[in-house]
Amino acid sequence: MNILLAEDDVRLGKLVAHLLQKEFNRVDWVKNGRDAYDNACILTYDLIILDWMLPGQDGLTVCKRLRQKGIQSGILFVTAKDANQDIISGLDSGADDYIVKPFEFNELLARLRAISRRKEKPLEEIISLADLTLNLNTHVIKRNNTTIELSKKEYHLLELLMRNQNQIMTRELLFEKLWGFETEVSDNALDALVKLVRKKIDVPGKPSLIQNVRGIGYKVRHSNV
């Protein structure tokens, strides 16, 4: 499963993100409500863990906006608020469950598993680009019905580009989404990653599906003719 963790407490967030990464396929950690909303709209998450008191935009607002946008990911509130009315407000905003701080990590895992079991099997959602398809549910990538194997980071890059086919993804935004602000990576890490993805998805003799927009970033082309 892919998890989005929204927690502004750095100490708690770092610990929970580390423990979750041992259990799940991908864990993205953000520290404010705006980033939580943006990430959930750009990427596909099975479960979203929302702290109630996030800076920028509180978790309650983020949850309401995501549900209004049609995001069906499971949502778990993490909150210090344990009053009955607060709990009702959280669930009424569209959350599937809540857990009160402080909590045991095993309880958090149990609640995430319970949400996952309760969620209905999602409809097959496929993004197409020329003759390339990406299944957001199974993460299977095919070109001309041939399955393509990508690493986790390669898949993440391709998903970002294919989800945003009508805009240029700047280098800064791609670095943030792929590695985060705090990770030290070289300036050419993105170019090297793009090169690896191109090698796997492109057809010899035809233009690459991933275009370099000089000085700005990358975008995908809708035709490989």
Side-chain angles (χ1 to χ4, degrees):
M1 289 191 292
N2 294 327
I3 308 291
L4 174 62
L5 170 65
E7 171 59 65
D8 64 316
D9 184 317
V10 175
R11 182 173 174 274
L12 177 61
K14 186 176 293 186
L15 175 61
V16 173
H18 174 72
L19 293 172
L20 287 172
Q21 283 169 351
K22 294 182 177 181
E23 301 287 336
F24 302 106
N25 183 45
R26 185 179 82 208
V27 178
D28 293 336
W29 171 32
V30 297
K31 304 178 185 67
N32 64 71
R34 291 193 181 92
D35 286 346
Y37 178 79
D38 290 344
N39 271 48
C41 291
I42 292 174
L43 298 171
T44 301
Y45 294 100
D46 300 291
L47 296 167
I48 300 172
I49 304 170
L50 275 179
D51 182 59
W52 187 296
M53 301 300 291
L54 289 170
Q57 200 168 86
D58 63 78
L60 197 68
T61 302
V62 172
C63 184
K64 289 178 180 178
R65 290 184 66 200
L66 290 177
R67 292 310 192 211
Q68 290 169 357
K69 192 174 176 63
I71 303 297
Q72 297 300 309
S73 307
I75 296 179
L76 173 71
F77 267 126
V78 176
T79 178
K81 296 175 176 287
D82 58 358
N84 190 54
Q85 187 54 51
D86 290 326
I87 292 169
I88 292 172
S89 297
L91 295 175
D92 282 347
S93 73
D96 296 281
D97 200 355
Y98 70 94
I99 188 170
V100 178
K101 296 179 180 178
F103 55 84
E104 294 290 333
F105 184 66
N106 285 339
E107 181 186 355
L108 176 66
L109 286 180
R111 290 184 180 275
L112 292 176
R113 288 193 295 265
I115 293 174
S116 180
R117 287 193 299 268
R118 290 198 301 268
K119 300 297 288 185
E120 293 182 5
K121 185 178 180 181
L123 296 174
E124 190 175 71
E125 188 175 358
I126 294 176
I127 306 175
S128 297
L129 174 67
D131 50 3
L132 181 74
T133 60
L134 185 152
N135 189 311
L136 294 170
N137 301 136
T138 64
H139 294 177
V140 172
I141 301 160
K142 292 185 178 182
R143 185 159 194 185
N144 292 323
N145 292 320
T146 299
T147 301
I148 299 170
E149 298 292 336
L150 296 182
S151 69
K152 186 185 300 185
K153 193 73 72 178
E154 291 166 352
Y155 174 89
H156 197 173
L157 170 64
L158 185 61
E159 181 185 343
L160 280 168
L161 292 171
M162 290 183 68
R163 275 184 170 275
N164 297 275
Q165 295 184 30
N166 297 318
Q167 62 179 301
I168 299 170
M169 300 292 284
T170 66
R171 296 182 65 86
E172 293 78 13
L173 180 60
L174 289 171
F175 264 103
E176 176 192 346
K177 298 302 182 186
L178 292 166
W179 289 283
F181 285 122
E182 298 180 358
T183 305
E184 293 185 5
V185 294
S186 63
D187 291 338
N188 65 353
L190 176 59
D191 303 311
L193 185 63
V194 169
K195 185 176 181 180
L196 289 172
V197 175
R198 281 173 168 164
K199 186 176 180 180
K200 294 182 178 181
I201 69 170
D202 286 344
V203 174
K206 292 187 177 182
S208 175
L209 291 176
I210 302 177
Q211 294 178 273
N212 177 25
V213 182
R214 189 177 296 277
I216 301 178
Y218 290 94
K219 64 178 292 187
V220 293
R221 68 172 82 233
H222 293 85
S223 172
N224 62 333
V225 178

